[in-house]
Amino acid sequence: MSSSGSKPMPQHEPTIIALSKDEFERILSLKIMNIHLAQVRDVFCFACLTGQRWSDISCIEKEQIKNGAWSITQEKTKKKVKVPLLPDAIKILKRYEHLHKPLPIISSQKTNEHLKDIGKLAELNDVITIEVRRGNKTYRTKKTKSDLLTTHVARKSFITISLSLGMNVTDVMAITGHSTYAAMKPYILITDEQKQKALNNAWVKKITPKLINHE
């Protein structure tokens, strides 16, 4: 507390935007006739399947990919990471074997513009309230998930989906390159459905039968 006796401002947590497994699969399976949109979708999905920053996705080189894995030194942290490639990620790379680079990368600005169109095609229509704090005031705006789809969502989606599927936190961090859970926490979206499932697994399946047996 300050000398004036005023209370500290409450910590404001930013809204986390991430895809669920179902939303990701809808984007991955979209039939897109426009070649530019299709390529952006493929690169975005590759990012969702590998969990790397866009700065590393955009610099991917063919010699980094060997024996079903992508070995990189991350641009931001200079940390060396070996990313096992899922079958869908390998399938995406095979589509572009004829190119000089492993993926058809365009600018992040154009990618983000196309991602909003892709989000609409995938019917990402959920409305999300975005809160921004300025001074003592909190400003709220409502946008659809498709309007909020950007390159940054890919890394958050990989982490969120991986954890929701039961992956060990340490294994996820080994792939993303995060050194601590605290550093990775801002990338994790825990959905209501996920909380309910975890609660049921912990209580309903393990404790309820014991209670019934004692009645």
Side-chain angles (χ1 to χ4, degrees), residues 18 20 22-23 26 119 122-129 142-148:
S20 66
D22 174 69
E23 290 170 332
R26 271 154 51 192
E123 299 182 352
L124 303 184
N125 300 324
D126 288 353
V127 176
I128 298 173
T129 301
K142 294 182 182 293
K143 293 188 177 183
T144 63
K145 207 164 193 176
S146 61
D147 288 331
L148 296 169

Side-chain angles (χ1 to χ4, degrees), residues 139-191:
Y139 299 88
R140 296 177 178 86
T141 57
K142 294 182 182 293
K143 293 188 177 183
T144 63
K145 207 164 193 176
S146 61
D147 288 331
L148 296 169
L149 200 60
T150 67
T151 57
H152 296 297
V153 173
R155 185 164 163 88
K156 294 181 177 71
S157 298
F158 171 82
I159 294 170
T160 294
I161 295 171
S162 295
L163 294 176
S164 73
L165 292 175
M167 269 189 76
N168 184 286
V169 172
T170 304
D171 293 335
V172 175
M173 288 169 57
I175 294 172
T176 61
H178 285 104
S179 298
T180 64
Y181 178 78
M184 189 173 73
K185 190 175 181 294
Y187 291 80
I188 304 171
L189 173 65
I190 305 297
T191 64

Side-chain angles (χ1 to χ4, degrees), residues 15-189:
T15 305
I16 299 171
I17 311 299
L19 299 177
S20 66
K21 184 173 182 289
D22 174 69
E23 290 170 332
F24 166 71
E25 288 177 342
R26 271 154 51 192
I27 291 177
L28 182 65
S29 61
L30 273 176
K31 304 297 182 185
I32 303 178
M33 302 305 295
N34 183 301
I35 187 171
H36 300 297
L37 286 185
Q39 289 178 348
V40 167
R41 181 273 308 276
D42 286 347
V43 176
F44 176 76
C45 285
F46 184 85
C48 290
L49 291 162
T50 58
Q52 301 309 299
R53 296 178 183 86
W54 199 258
S55 57
D56 294 312
I57 296 289
S58 61
C59 294
I60 189 171
E61 298 288 347
K62 286 192 173 183
E63 56 266 25
Q64 296 172 336
I65 302 162
K66 293 179 182 177
N67 302 320
W70 175 26
S71 298
I72 59 170
T73 299
Q74 293 180 326
E75 181 69 23
K76 182 177 180 180
T77 62
K78 307 307 177 187
K79 187 172 185 177
K80 293 186 177 183
V81 174
K82 189 172 184 178
V83 184
L85 295 176
L86 288 161
D88 282 322
I90 293 173
K91 191 182 298 183
I92 290 171
L93 290 175
K94 285 185 176 178
R95 285 185 196 141
Y96 303 102
E97 284 181 327
H98 61 287
L99 298 180
H100 176 65
K101 294 276 190 177
L103 293 168
I105 307 292
I106 59 174
S107 71
S108 58
Q109 181 181 348
K110 291 299 292 183
T111 297
N112 286 335
E113 290 175 9
H114 289 324
L115 282 175
K116 288 163 178 51
D117 294 330
I118 291 167
K120 290 180 175 64
L121 291 174
E123 299 182 352
L124 303 184
N125 300 324
D126 288 353
V127 176
I128 298 173
T129 301
I130 305 297
E131 295 185 352
V132 178
R133 195 173 187 84
R134 296 194 182 97
N136 295 325
K137 291 187 177 181
T138 299
Y139 299 88
R140 296 177 178 86
T141 57
K142 294 182 182 293
K143 293 188 177 183
T144 63
K145 207 164 193 176
S146 61
D147 288 331
L148 296 169
L149 200 60
T150 67
T151 57
H152 296 297
V153 173
R155 185 164 163 88
K156 294 181 177 71
S157 298
F158 171 82
I159 294 170
T160 294
I161 295 171
S162 295
L163 294 176
S164 73
L165 292 175
M167 269 189 76
N168 184 286
V169 172
T170 304
D171 293 335
V172 175
M173 288 169 57
I175 294 172
T176 61
H178 285 104
S179 298
T180 64
Y181 178 78
M184 189 173 73
K185 190 175 181 294
Y187 291 80
I188 304 171
L189 173 65

